[in-house]
Amino acid sequence: MKLILLGAPGAGKGTQADIICNKLNIPTISTGNILRAAVANGTPVGLRAKEYMDAGKLVPDEVIIGVITERLAQSDCQNGFILDGVPRTIAQAEALEAAGVKFDAVVSIEISDEEIEKRMTGRRTCLKCGATYHVVAAPPKVEGICDKCGEALQQRKDDKPETVRARLVTYHKETEPLKEFYAKRGVLKSIENQPTIEATTKVIMEVLK
């Protein structure tokens, strides 16, 4: 099963990818992780990526696609994989196609901007131990204090309302058009976000059967 998970930032793609890869016994390929691994391993494509990263520049599409195709050629991907965080644009999707990477299903988690904003702006993180909370959905026992280590909780810059809105604008402009791109290829599966993580997983597994 070769999958892509699509959805706005905060839609729960990473969470669902972790659950599905355990259920189907296939690896999750996260762009950030494989870029860091390629750089650490000193592969030719990794070294090219490192030049851009060291200069504080965005890694260009052809390098990202190179890193991904290099990773997908490894033995643990022979029975399938889940791509999380890529493709982000039509250009990346076309480049993956040109590189011969095909998908069985592209699962799009549908969730309103309003819900995303509520979800992300309510997140609080402990910078010391990395534990995360949510002011409504999963509050700490004592407001503003980490249950695990007693440090003060912070709102990350990524979770501030203005940052969340800016990321949503980018998603609608650059990534959302991928839904039409994959719908034309007959592999798009749109699912409505469910009230719980488990319920969302159940719907995803049903559409994948």
Side-chain angles (χ1 to χ4, degrees):
M1 182 71 79
K2 296 169 182 174
L3 303 176
I4 297 174
L5 284 184
L6 282 183
K13 300 183 295 297
T15 303
Q16 293 300 331
D18 287 345
I19 297 168
I20 297 163
C21 78
N22 286 325
K23 283 182 179 290
L24 300 180
N25 200 24
I26 54 177
T28 296
I29 312 296
S30 149
T31 325
N33 291 349
I34 59 170
L35 266 178
R36 284 187 287 274
V39 169
N41 295 334
T43 68
V45 186
L47 293 173
R48 281 190 67 200
K50 187 175 187 299
E51 286 174 20
Y52 290 97
M53 290 155 83
D54 287 349
K57 294 177 182 171
L58 279 178
V59 180
D61 282 355
E62 69 267 19
V63 178
I64 287 176
I65 302 303
V67 170
I68 287 163
T69 49
E70 198 173 69
R71 176 67 185 86
L72 296 183
Q74 292 177 18
S75 59
D76 64 336
C77 292
Q78 295 313 299
N79 294 325
F81 51 82
I82 301 168
L83 280 190
D84 174 22
V86 73
R88 282 185 193 275
T89 60
I90 298 283
Q92 287 183 355
E94 288 172 344
L96 281 170
E97 233 173 42
V101 181
K102 300 235 178 346
F103 300 99
D104 298 309
V106 176
V107 176
S108 177
I109 303 172
E110 304 297 334
I111 179 166
S112 70
D113 286 7
E114 186 187 14
E115 181 60 34
I116 290 281
E117 209 171 308
K118 213 187 302 177
R119 186 183 283 189
M120 292 182 75
T121 56
R123 281 202 298 215
R124 297 293 181 270
T125 306
C126 175
L127 300 183
K128 187 177 179 188
C129 74
T132 56
Y133 301 86
H134 191 280
V135 292
V136 179
K141 294 188 180 98
V142 179
E143 190 181 338
I145 301 296
C146 177
D147 292 350
K148 294 180 181 170
C149 69
E151 285 289 310
L153 298 175
Q154 315 257 345
Q155 185 180 41
R156 295 184 325 161
K157 185 168 177 270
D158 272 4
D159 296 334
K160 290 190 184 293
E162 59 277 15
T163 312
V164 172
R165 284 185 209 119
R167 289 176 71 195
L168 283 168
V169 167
T170 303
Y171 167 75
H172 290 307
K173 184 176 160 209
E174 295 184 357
T175 307
E176 201 163 34
L178 287 169
K179 292 199 292 193
E180 191 183 340
F181 180 89
Y182 286 114
K184 283 178 180 166
R185 283 149 180 78
V187 291
L188 184 73
K189 317 275 184 194
S190 291
I191 68 141
E192 291 300 322
N193 183 59
Q194 303 298 309
T196 64
I197 290 169
E198 294 76 18
T200 302
T201 306
K202 186 167 180 280
V203 177
I204 291 174
M205 296 309 289
E206 280 165 6
V207 302
L208 291 181
K209 276 176 185 157

